[in-house]
Amino acid sequence: MAAMVSIRVNGVEMSVAADVSVAAALLNAGHTMFRRSVTGAARGPVCGMGTCFECRVTIDGEPGRRSCLEPVREGMRVTIDA
Ligand code: FES
């Protein structure tokens, strides 16, 4: 059985696999929209490797973090535009 960690997404606690990125954890939980563009369009991960910047979320209060490059860790707080 895979090791798990607890993170909070928009204040809701969830248990996720310990060896995945924040983007993967969010997608596995059914979140496809991570933020909105300046015109209000829904945005989510495109490249999965740090080049498109479409997966930006707020992590532990720091906005603009690319979730595809951030491994999950115990107690992490993630905010998305849901
Ligand atoms: S999905 Fe493209 S930078 Fe994260």
Side-chain angles (χ1 to χ4, degrees):
M1 184 172 169
M4 306 294 280
V5 296
S6 292
I7 65 172
R8 296 185 81 81
V9 178
N10 290 357
V12 177
E13 187 169 338
M14 62 175 52
S15 184
V16 301
D19 58 351
V20 299
S21 67
V22 172
L26 291 172
L27 289 169
N28 286 340
H31 296 286
T32 56
M33 186 186 87
F34 288 22
R35 65 183 188 89
R36 289 198 177 275
S37 72
V38 293
T39 61
R43 297 292 192 199
V46 176
C47 72
M49 60 183 188
T51 59
C52 74
F53 286 70
E54 295 291 358
C55 66
R56 287 172 284 162
V57 300
T58 299
I59 296 176
D60 293 335
E62 185 178 339
R65 303 284 296 274
R66 287 173 287 176
S67 60
C68 68
L69 299 180
E70 295 285 340
V72 295
R73 64 179 178 283
E74 182 67 32
M76 178 181 267
R77 292 171 295 115
V78 180
T79 304
I80 60 175
D81 292 329

